[in-house]
Short mmCIF file of all heavy atoms in Angstrom, two decimals:
data_model
loop_
_atom_site.label_atom_id
_atom_site.label_comp_id
_atom_site.label_asym_id
_atom_site.label_seq_id
_atom_site.Cartn_x
_atom_site.Cartn_y
_atom_site.Cartn_z
N MET Z 1405 135.15 87.57 60.29
CA MET Z 1405 135.61 88.89 60.82
C MET Z 1405 136.30 88.69 62.15
O MET Z 1405 135.74 88.00 63.03
CB MET Z 1405 134.47 89.85 60.99
CG MET Z 1405 134.88 91.32 61.14
SD MET Z 1405 135.76 91.96 59.72
CE MET Z 1405 135.16 93.61 59.63
N LYS Z 1406 137.53 89.24 62.30
CA LYS Z 1406 138.22 89.16 63.57
C LYS Z 1406 137.42 90.05 64.63
O LYS Z 1406 136.57 90.83 64.33
CB LYS Z 1406 139.58 89.77 63.42
CG LYS Z 1406 140.56 88.84 62.62
CD LYS Z 1406 141.95 89.31 62.74
CE LYS Z 1406 142.24 90.37 61.84
NZ LYS Z 1406 143.72 90.77 61.89
N LYS Z 1407 137.75 89.75 65.89
CA LYS Z 1407 137.08 90.43 66.97
C LYS Z 1407 137.41 91.93 67.00
O LYS Z 1407 138.49 92.32 66.83
CB LYS Z 1407 137.45 89.72 68.35
CG LYS Z 1407 136.68 88.53 68.56
CD LYS Z 1407 136.85 88.13 70.02
CE LYS Z 1407 136.08 86.81 70.34
NZ LYS Z 1407 136.44 86.30 71.61
N LEU Z 1408 136.37 92.64 67.41
CA LEU Z 1408 136.57 94.07 67.70
C LEU Z 1408 137.54 94.25 68.85
O LEU Z 1408 137.33 93.55 69.93
CB LEU Z 1408 135.20 94.68 68.05
CG LEU Z 1408 135.03 96.21 67.95
CD1 LEU Z 1408 135.14 96.67 66.51
CD2 LEU Z 1408 133.65 96.61 68.54
N PRO Z 1409 138.54 95.03 68.82
CA PRO Z 1409 139.37 95.15 69.97
C PRO Z 1409 138.70 95.79 71.17
O PRO Z 1409 137.79 96.57 71.13
CB PRO Z 1409 140.54 96.16 69.42
CG PRO Z 1409 139.94 96.87 68.27
CD PRO Z 1409 138.90 95.96 67.64
N ILE Z 1410 139.22 95.33 72.38
CA ILE Z 1410 138.69 95.87 73.61
C ILE Z 1410 139.80 96.85 74.21
O ILE Z 1410 140.86 96.37 74.55
CB ILE Z 1410 138.34 94.71 74.58
CG1 ILE Z 1410 137.18 93.89 73.96
CG2 ILE Z 1410 137.97 95.30 75.88
CD1 ILE Z 1410 136.94 92.63 74.75
N LEU Z 1411 139.46 98.07 74.14
CA LEU Z 1411 140.50 99.06 74.57
C LEU Z 1411 140.72 99.09 76.11
O LEU Z 1411 141.78 99.26 76.66
CB LEU Z 1411 140.16 100.47 74.05
CG LEU Z 1411 140.24 100.62 72.53
CD1 LEU Z 1411 139.61 101.94 72.09
CD2 LEU Z 1411 141.71 100.66 72.13
N TYR Z 1412 139.63 98.86 76.81
CA TYR Z 1412 139.63 98.78 78.26
C TYR Z 1412 138.48 98.10 78.74
O TYR Z 1412 137.41 98.11 78.18
CB TYR Z 1412 139.73 100.22 78.86
CG TYR Z 1412 138.62 101.09 78.50
CD1 TYR Z 1412 137.48 101.16 79.19
CD2 TYR Z 1412 138.68 101.87 77.33
CE1 TYR Z 1412 136.36 101.97 78.89
CE2 TYR Z 1412 137.65 102.76 76.90
CZ TYR Z 1412 136.48 102.72 77.72
OH TYR Z 1412 135.38 103.49 77.33
N LYS Z 1413 138.65 97.49 79.95
CA LYS Z 1413 137.49 96.75 80.51
C LYS Z 1413 136.76 97.60 81.49
O LYS Z 1413 135.54 97.51 81.63
CB LYS Z 1413 138.04 95.40 81.20
CG LYS Z 1413 138.58 94.42 80.26
CD LYS Z 1413 138.71 93.01 80.91
CE LYS Z 1413 139.39 92.03 80.07
NZ LYS Z 1413 140.87 92.32 80.01
N SER Z 1414 137.55 98.39 82.21
CA SER Z 1414 136.77 99.41 83.01
C SER Z 1414 137.44 100.78 82.84
O SER Z 1414 138.66 100.87 82.38
CB SER Z 1414 136.90 98.93 84.49
OG SER Z 1414 138.25 99.10 85.00
N LYS Z 1415 136.84 101.75 83.15
CA LYS Z 1415 137.27 103.17 82.88
C LYS Z 1415 138.60 103.43 83.64
O LYS Z 1415 139.42 104.25 83.22
CB LYS Z 1415 136.26 104.13 83.38
CG LYS Z 1415 135.06 104.20 82.43
CD LYS Z 1415 134.02 105.25 82.87
CE LYS Z 1415 133.00 105.31 81.82
NZ LYS Z 1415 131.88 106.30 82.29
N SER Z 1416 138.91 102.68 84.73
CA SER Z 1416 140.08 102.92 85.48
C SER Z 1416 141.33 102.56 84.68
O SER Z 1416 142.42 102.92 84.95
CB SER Z 1416 140.10 102.10 86.82
OG SER Z 1416 140.01 100.77 86.55
N GLU Z 1417 141.16 101.74 83.58
CA GLU Z 1417 142.26 101.24 82.72
C GLU Z 1417 142.53 102.26 81.65
O GLU Z 1417 143.46 102.05 80.84
CB GLU Z 1417 141.93 99.92 82.10
CG GLU Z 1417 141.81 98.84 83.11
CD GLU Z 1417 141.45 97.48 82.44
OE1 GLU Z 1417 141.07 97.48 81.32
OE2 GLU Z 1417 141.52 96.43 83.19
N CYS Z 1418 141.72 103.30 81.51
CA CYS Z 1418 141.84 104.22 80.40
C CYS Z 1418 142.05 105.62 80.90
O CYS Z 1418 141.27 106.12 81.72
CB CYS Z 1418 140.62 104.20 79.50
SG CYS Z 1418 140.58 105.41 78.18
N SER Z 1419 143.16 106.31 80.48
CA SER Z 1419 143.46 107.65 80.91
C SER Z 1419 142.79 108.74 80.00
O SER Z 1419 142.87 109.93 80.35
CB SER Z 1419 144.97 107.93 81.01
OG SER Z 1419 145.43 107.84 79.63
N GLY Z 1420 142.17 108.26 78.98
CA GLY Z 1420 141.55 109.13 78.03
C GLY Z 1420 142.54 109.95 77.25
O GLY Z 1420 142.32 111.11 76.87
N CYS Z 1421 143.68 109.39 77.00
CA CYS Z 1421 144.77 110.08 76.39
C CYS Z 1421 144.60 110.35 74.87
O CYS Z 1421 145.38 111.06 74.32
CB CYS Z 1421 146.19 109.38 76.58
SG CYS Z 1421 146.20 107.82 75.60
N SER Z 1422 143.67 109.63 74.28
CA SER Z 1422 143.36 109.78 72.85
C SER Z 1422 144.39 109.26 71.97
O SER Z 1422 144.29 109.47 70.72
CB SER Z 1422 143.15 111.32 72.46
OG SER Z 1422 142.08 111.81 73.18
N ALA Z 1423 145.44 108.52 72.36
CA ALA Z 1423 146.41 107.94 71.49
C ALA Z 1423 145.80 107.00 70.49
O ALA Z 1423 146.08 106.99 69.28
CB ALA Z 1423 147.48 107.24 72.29
N CYS Z 1424 144.92 106.20 70.96
CA CYS Z 1424 144.23 105.19 70.04
C CYS Z 1424 143.34 105.96 69.04
O CYS Z 1424 143.37 105.58 67.84
CB CYS Z 1424 143.36 104.29 70.92
SG CYS Z 1424 142.12 105.05 71.99
N PHE Z 1425 142.68 106.99 69.47
CA PHE Z 1425 141.85 107.75 68.57
C PHE Z 1425 142.72 108.40 67.49
O PHE Z 1425 142.32 108.36 66.27
CB PHE Z 1425 141.18 108.95 69.37
CG PHE Z 1425 140.58 109.98 68.63
CD1 PHE Z 1425 139.35 109.85 68.01
CD2 PHE Z 1425 141.22 111.29 68.46
CE1 PHE Z 1425 138.80 110.92 67.30
CE2 PHE Z 1425 140.65 112.33 67.88
CZ PHE Z 1425 139.44 112.17 67.16
N ASN Z 1426 143.88 108.86 67.85
CA ASN Z 1426 144.83 109.52 66.90
C ASN Z 1426 145.44 108.57 65.95
O ASN Z 1426 145.74 108.94 64.81
CB ASN Z 1426 145.86 110.36 67.70
CG ASN Z 1426 145.31 111.63 68.22
OD1 ASN Z 1426 144.53 112.36 67.65
ND2 ASN Z 1426 145.71 111.83 69.48
N ILE Z 1427 145.67 107.35 66.30
CA ILE Z 1427 146.45 106.41 65.47
C ILE Z 1427 145.53 105.63 64.54
O ILE Z 1427 145.96 105.09 63.57
CB ILE Z 1427 147.29 105.47 66.28
CG1 ILE Z 1427 148.49 104.97 65.45
CG2 ILE Z 1427 146.49 104.30 66.88
CD1 ILE Z 1427 149.56 104.28 66.27
N CYS Z 1428 144.24 105.57 64.87
CA CYS Z 1428 143.32 104.73 64.03
C CYS Z 1428 143.29 105.19 62.62
O CYS Z 1428 142.87 106.37 62.31
CB CYS Z 1428 141.90 104.78 64.74
SG CYS Z 1428 140.76 103.82 63.71
N PRO Z 1429 143.67 104.30 61.73
CA PRO Z 1429 143.67 104.71 60.27
C PRO Z 1429 142.28 104.71 59.60
O PRO Z 1429 142.14 105.22 58.44
CB PRO Z 1429 144.62 103.68 59.65
CG PRO Z 1429 144.43 102.47 60.48
CD PRO Z 1429 144.13 102.92 61.92
N ALA Z 1430 141.36 104.14 60.31
CA ALA Z 1430 139.95 104.12 59.68
C ALA Z 1430 139.01 105.07 60.33
O ALA Z 1430 137.77 105.01 59.94
CB ALA Z 1430 139.42 102.65 59.95
N GLU Z 1431 139.56 105.91 61.17
CA GLU Z 1431 138.64 106.92 61.93
C GLU Z 1431 137.50 106.14 62.45
O GLU Z 1431 136.35 106.67 62.45
CB GLU Z 1431 138.18 108.06 60.94
CG GLU Z 1431 139.39 108.87 60.53
CD GLU Z 1431 139.02 110.04 59.67
OE1 GLU Z 1431 137.82 110.26 59.47
OE2 GLU Z 1431 139.90 110.65 59.07
N ALA Z 1432 137.81 105.05 63.12
CA ALA Z 1432 136.68 104.16 63.70
C ALA Z 1432 136.47 104.52 65.12
O ALA Z 1432 135.63 103.92 65.74
CB ALA Z 1432 137.03 102.78 63.50
N ILE Z 1433 137.43 105.36 65.74
CA ILE Z 1433 137.33 105.63 67.20
C ILE Z 1433 136.78 107.08 67.39
O ILE Z 1433 137.24 107.96 66.76
CB ILE Z 1433 138.71 105.44 67.87
CG1 ILE Z 1433 139.12 103.98 67.71
CG2 ILE Z 1433 138.61 105.81 69.34
CD1 ILE Z 1433 140.52 103.69 68.35
N ALA Z 1434 135.79 107.13 68.27
CA ALA Z 1434 135.25 108.47 68.63
C ALA Z 1434 135.54 108.62 70.16
O ALA Z 1434 135.46 107.63 70.94
CB ALA Z 1434 133.79 108.56 68.34
N MET Z 1435 135.97 109.86 70.54
CA MET Z 1435 136.11 110.10 72.06
C MET Z 1435 134.81 110.64 72.43
O MET Z 1435 134.27 111.67 72.00
CB MET Z 1435 137.27 111.07 72.26
CG MET Z 1435 138.63 110.67 71.76
SD MET Z 1435 139.22 109.13 72.55
CE MET Z 1435 139.57 109.72 74.28
N GLN Z 1436 134.16 109.95 73.44
CA GLN Z 1436 132.82 110.30 73.91
C GLN Z 1436 132.89 110.67 75.34
O GLN Z 1436 133.51 109.98 76.25
CB GLN Z 1436 131.83 109.14 73.71
CG GLN Z 1436 131.27 109.07 72.30
CD GLN Z 1436 130.23 108.10 72.12
OE1 GLN Z 1436 129.67 107.43 73.08
NE2 GLN Z 1436 129.94 107.80 70.85
N GLU Z 1437 132.29 111.81 75.65
CA GLU Z 1437 132.33 112.31 77.06
C GLU Z 1437 131.24 111.51 77.88
O GLU Z 1437 130.18 111.22 77.42
CB GLU Z 1437 131.89 113.77 76.95
CG GLU Z 1437 132.54 114.65 77.96
CD GLU Z 1437 132.23 116.08 77.75
OE1 GLU Z 1437 131.09 116.56 78.30
OE2 GLU Z 1437 132.99 116.82 77.09
N ASP Z 1438 131.71 111.15 79.08
CA ASP Z 1438 130.77 110.48 80.00
C ASP Z 1438 130.03 111.55 80.79
O ASP Z 1438 130.27 112.80 80.65
CB ASP Z 1438 131.43 109.44 80.76
CG ASP Z 1438 132.39 109.99 81.83
OD1 ASP Z 1438 132.50 111.30 81.95
OD2 ASP Z 1438 133.03 109.17 82.60
N SER Z 1439 129.22 111.08 81.73
CA SER Z 1439 128.39 112.03 82.50
C SER Z 1439 129.24 112.94 83.41
O SER Z 1439 128.79 113.98 83.88
CB SER Z 1439 127.44 111.22 83.39
OG SER Z 1439 128.17 110.35 84.20
N GLU Z 1440 130.49 112.57 83.64
CA GLU Z 1440 131.34 113.39 84.45
C GLU Z 1440 132.32 114.30 83.60
O GLU Z 1440 133.20 114.98 84.23
CB GLU Z 1440 132.19 112.52 85.39
CG GLU Z 1440 131.31 111.83 86.48
CD GLU Z 1440 132.13 110.81 87.31
OE1 GLU Z 1440 133.04 110.23 86.81
OE2 GLU Z 1440 131.73 110.65 88.47
N GLY Z 1441 132.16 114.27 82.38
CA GLY Z 1441 132.97 115.16 81.48
C GLY Z 1441 134.32 114.55 81.05
O GLY Z 1441 135.16 115.21 80.47
N PHE Z 1442 134.53 113.27 81.35
CA PHE Z 1442 135.79 112.60 80.90
C PHE Z 1442 135.57 111.90 79.63
O PHE Z 1442 134.49 111.23 79.45
CB PHE Z 1442 136.31 111.60 81.98
CG PHE Z 1442 136.70 112.19 83.29
CD1 PHE Z 1442 135.91 112.13 84.43
CD2 PHE Z 1442 137.95 112.94 83.32
CE1 PHE Z 1442 136.34 112.77 85.56
CE2 PHE Z 1442 138.39 113.49 84.47
CZ PHE Z 1442 137.56 113.42 85.67
N GLU Z 1443 136.60 111.95 78.77
CA GLU Z 1443 136.33 111.35 77.47
C GLU Z 1443 136.94 110.00 77.34
O GLU Z 1443 138.05 109.74 77.86
CB GLU Z 1443 136.98 112.26 76.28
CG GLU Z 1443 136.21 113.55 76.17
CD GLU Z 1443 136.61 114.33 74.88
OE1 GLU Z 1443 137.80 114.11 74.47
OE2 GLU Z 1443 135.81 114.87 74.26
N TYR Z 1444 136.15 109.05 76.81
CA TYR Z 1444 136.69 107.69 76.55
C TYR Z 1444 136.34 107.30 75.17
O TYR Z 1444 135.43 107.67 74.53
CB TYR Z 1444 135.89 106.71 77.51
CG TYR Z 1444 136.17 106.94 79.01
CD1 TYR Z 1444 135.43 107.71 79.78
CD2 TYR Z 1444 137.35 106.37 79.57
CE1 TYR Z 1444 135.70 108.02 81.05
CE2 TYR Z 1444 137.69 106.60 80.84
CZ TYR Z 1444 136.80 107.40 81.64
OH TYR Z 1444 137.19 107.63 82.96
N PRO Z 1445 137.32 106.43 74.61
CA PRO Z 1445 137.12 106.01 73.30
C PRO Z 1445 136.07 105.00 73.02
O PRO Z 1445 135.96 104.07 73.83
CB PRO Z 1445 138.53 105.49 72.88
CG PRO Z 1445 139.12 104.97 74.19
CD PRO Z 1445 138.58 105.89 75.19
N VAL Z 1446 135.36 105.12 71.93
CA VAL Z 1446 134.27 104.17 71.54
C VAL Z 1446 134.58 103.83 70.11
O VAL Z 1446 134.85 104.59 69.24
CB VAL Z 1446 132.94 104.80 71.69
CG1 VAL Z 1446 131.86 103.88 71.26
CG2 VAL Z 1446 132.68 105.26 73.12
N ILE Z 1447 134.63 102.46 69.89
CA ILE Z 1447 134.90 101.95 68.50
C ILE Z 1447 133.61 101.76 67.74
O ILE Z 1447 132.69 101.09 68.19
CB ILE Z 1447 135.79 100.71 68.60
CG1 ILE Z 1447 137.07 100.95 69.35
CG2 ILE Z 1447 136.05 100.12 67.20
CD1 ILE Z 1447 137.95 99.67 69.52
N ASP Z 1448 133.60 102.22 66.50
CA ASP Z 1448 132.49 101.93 65.58
C ASP Z 1448 132.82 100.58 64.95
O ASP Z 1448 133.71 100.46 64.10
CB ASP Z 1448 132.44 103.03 64.50
CG ASP Z 1448 131.22 102.89 63.65
OD1 ASP Z 1448 130.77 101.67 63.37
OD2 ASP Z 1448 130.70 103.91 63.12
N ASP Z 1449 131.98 99.62 65.25
CA ASP Z 1449 132.12 98.20 64.72
C ASP Z 1449 132.14 98.18 63.19
O ASP Z 1449 132.82 97.40 62.54
CB ASP Z 1449 130.94 97.39 65.33
CG ASP Z 1449 131.11 95.89 64.90
OD1 ASP Z 1449 132.14 95.51 64.44
OD2 ASP Z 1449 130.13 95.15 65.25
N ASN Z 1450 131.37 99.01 62.59
CA ASN Z 1450 131.24 98.99 61.18
C ASN Z 1450 132.52 99.64 60.40
O ASN Z 1450 132.79 99.33 59.30
CB ASN Z 1450 130.00 99.83 60.69
CG ASN Z 1450 128.76 99.04 61.14
OD1 ASN Z 1450 128.64 97.82 60.94
ND2 ASN Z 1450 127.80 99.83 61.73
N LYS Z 1451 133.16 100.57 61.10
CA LYS Z 1451 134.35 101.20 60.48
C LYS Z 1451 135.64 100.52 60.76
O LYS Z 1451 136.58 100.62 60.02
CB LYS Z 1451 134.46 102.72 60.95
CG LYS Z 1451 133.40 103.58 60.46
CD LYS Z 1451 133.64 105.01 60.95
CE LYS Z 1451 132.64 106.06 60.56
NZ LYS Z 1451 132.82 107.34 61.29
N CYS Z 1452 135.71 99.85 61.94
CA CYS Z 1452 136.95 99.19 62.36
C CYS Z 1452 137.44 98.13 61.42
O CYS Z 1452 136.71 97.24 61.03
CB CYS Z 1452 136.74 98.59 63.71
SG CYS Z 1452 138.17 97.72 64.34
N ILE Z 1453 138.72 98.22 60.94
CA ILE Z 1453 139.27 97.30 60.00
C ILE Z 1453 140.11 96.19 60.69
O ILE Z 1453 140.86 95.46 60.07
CB ILE Z 1453 140.11 97.92 58.90
CG1 ILE Z 1453 141.26 98.81 59.52
CG2 ILE Z 1453 139.26 98.82 58.08
CD1 ILE Z 1453 142.28 99.34 58.53
N ARG Z 1454 140.11 96.20 62.06
CA ARG Z 1454 140.76 95.17 62.89
C ARG Z 1454 142.29 95.13 62.67
O ARG Z 1454 142.90 94.05 62.50
CB ARG Z 1454 140.21 93.76 62.65
CG ARG Z 1454 138.95 93.41 63.39
CD ARG Z 1454 137.76 94.17 63.08
NE ARG Z 1454 136.57 93.68 63.66
CZ ARG Z 1454 135.38 94.23 63.63
NH1 ARG Z 1454 135.15 95.36 63.05
NH2 ARG Z 1454 134.25 93.66 64.21
N CYS Z 1455 142.81 96.34 62.61
CA CYS Z 1455 144.32 96.43 62.44
C CYS Z 1455 145.07 96.33 63.81
O CYS Z 1455 146.23 96.15 63.84
CB CYS Z 1455 144.75 97.71 61.76
SG CYS Z 1455 144.40 99.20 62.71
N TYR Z 1456 144.32 96.60 64.87
CA TYR Z 1456 144.76 96.54 66.30
C TYR Z 1456 145.93 97.56 66.58
O TYR Z 1456 146.62 97.35 67.56
CB TYR Z 1456 145.16 95.11 66.65
CG TYR Z 1456 144.04 94.18 66.53
CD1 TYR Z 1456 144.17 93.05 65.56
CD2 TYR Z 1456 142.94 94.20 67.20
CE1 TYR Z 1456 143.08 92.21 65.42
CE2 TYR Z 1456 141.83 93.46 67.09
CZ TYR Z 1456 141.89 92.41 66.21
OH TYR Z 1456 140.88 91.49 65.99
N LYS Z 1457 146.05 98.55 65.78
CA LYS Z 1457 146.98 99.60 66.04
C LYS Z 1457 146.62 100.38 67.37
O LYS Z 1457 147.45 100.80 68.15
CB LYS Z 1457 147.05 100.68 64.95
CG LYS Z 1457 147.82 100.15 63.72
CD LYS Z 1457 147.96 101.29 62.76
CE LYS Z 1457 148.79 100.70 61.47
NZ LYS Z 1457 148.92 101.72 60.47
N CYS Z 1458 145.34 100.43 67.67
CA CYS Z 1458 144.83 101.15 68.87
C CYS Z 1458 145.38 100.27 70.11
O CYS Z 1458 145.76 100.94 71.14
CB CYS Z 1458 143.42 101.27 68.89
SG CYS Z 1458 142.53 99.74 68.54
N ILE Z 1459 145.32 99.02 70.03
CA ILE Z 1459 145.75 98.18 71.17
C ILE Z 1459 147.25 98.37 71.34
O ILE Z 1459 147.79 98.45 72.45
CB ILE Z 1459 145.47 96.74 70.89
CG1 ILE Z 1459 143.93 96.45 70.82
CG2 ILE Z 1459 146.08 95.85 72.02
CD1 ILE Z 1459 143.16 96.72 72.12
N GLY Z 1460 148.05 98.42 70.23
CA GLY Z 1460 149.49 98.57 70.26
C GLY Z 1460 149.98 99.87 70.88
O GLY Z 1460 150.96 99.96 71.52
N VAL Z 1461 149.22 100.99 70.62
CA VAL Z 1461 149.64 102.26 71.07
C VAL Z 1461 149.23 102.60 72.48
O VAL Z 1461 149.79 103.41 73.18
CB VAL Z 1461 149.01 103.38 70.11
CG1 VAL Z 1461 147.56 103.74 70.45
CG2 VAL Z 1461 149.90 104.61 70.21
N CYS Z 1462 148.30 101.81 73.03
CA CYS Z 1462 147.79 102.08 74.42
C CYS Z 1462 148.83 101.63 75.47
O CYS Z 1462 149.26 100.46 75.42
CB CYS Z 1462 146.44 101.40 74.66
SG CYS Z 1462 145.78 101.78 76.21
N THR Z 1463 149.19 102.53 76.30
CA THR Z 1463 150.25 102.30 77.33
C THR Z 1463 149.80 101.69 78.56
O THR Z 1463 150.53 101.41 79.49
CB THR Z 1463 151.06 103.57 77.56
OG1 THR Z 1463 150.22 104.54 77.93
CG2 THR Z 1463 151.75 103.95 76.32
N LYS Z 1464 148.49 101.55 78.71
CA LYS Z 1464 147.96 101.19 80.02
C LYS Z 1464 148.35 99.72 80.38
O LYS Z 1464 148.68 98.99 79.59
CB LYS Z 1464 146.31 101.20 80.07
CG LYS Z 1464 145.80 100.15 79.12
CD LYS Z 1464 144.31 99.93 79.35
CE LYS Z 1464 143.81 98.82 78.63
NZ LYS Z 1464 143.58 99.05 77.17
S1 LIG F 2980 141.69 98.07 65.30
FE1 LIG F 2980 142.47 99.55 63.91
S2 LIG F 2980 140.61 100.25 62.77
FE2 LIG F 2980 139.91 99.23 64.58
S3 LIG F 2980 139.63 100.88 66.12
FE3 LIG F 2980 141.69 99.92 66.43
S4 LIG F 2980 143.04 101.28 65.17
FE4 LIG F 2980 140.97 101.64 64.51
S1 LIG F 2981 145.18 104.79 74.12
FE1 LIG F 2981 144.45 103.54 75.84
S2 LIG F 2981 144.52 105.02 77.64
FE2 LIG F 2981 144.57 106.19 75.70
S3 LIG F 2981 142.41 106.76 75.32
FE3 LIG F 2981 142.96 104.86 74.15
S4 LIG F 2981 142.30 103.17 75.52
FE4 LIG F 2981 142.44 105.02 76.75
#
């Protein structure tokens, strides 16, 4: 199995734009609210088919 993509290393690298969430063909990404009310994508290891479309769409 290929590696699970890493969308961001720290929250400062992610604007929470949801582009990765929207493009994922496997519905493997969920936008989860943090304690401050900002949403960040979280990948479900079991659903992810390692297509890396989420990495391609992210503009950060
Ligand atoms: S690699 Fe593909 S399947 Fe996995 S989270 Fe990214 S877009 Fe979804
Ligand atoms: S596409 Fe990039 S910046 Fe946008 S929510 Fe996903 S990881 Fe964050």
Side-chain angles (χ1 to χ4, degrees):
M1405 197 61 146
K1406 287 192 278 184
K1407 277 191 178 171
L1408 200 65
I1410 296 168
L1411 289 168
Y1412 56 90
K1413 291 195 189 76
S1414 72
K1415 286 180 176 177
S1416 63
E1417 294 178 350
C1418 174
S1419 65
C1421 70
S1422 301
C1424 53
F1425 167 78
N1426 287 318
I1427 206 166
C1428 178
E1431 294 183 9
I1433 299 178
M1435 299 301 291
Q1436 275 184 14
E1437 218 173 83
D1438 70 1
S1439 58
E1440 292 174 329
F1442 293 105
E1443 291 194 328
Y1444 292 96
V1446 179
I1447 299 174
D1448 185 331
D1449 189 5
N1450 294 313
K1451 289 185 184 171
C1452 175
I1453 56 170
R1454 274 69 169 172
C1455 69
Y1456 302 116
K1457 286 188 179 176
C1458 52
I1459 298 292
V1461 79
C1462 184
T1463 54
K1464 68 164 189 283

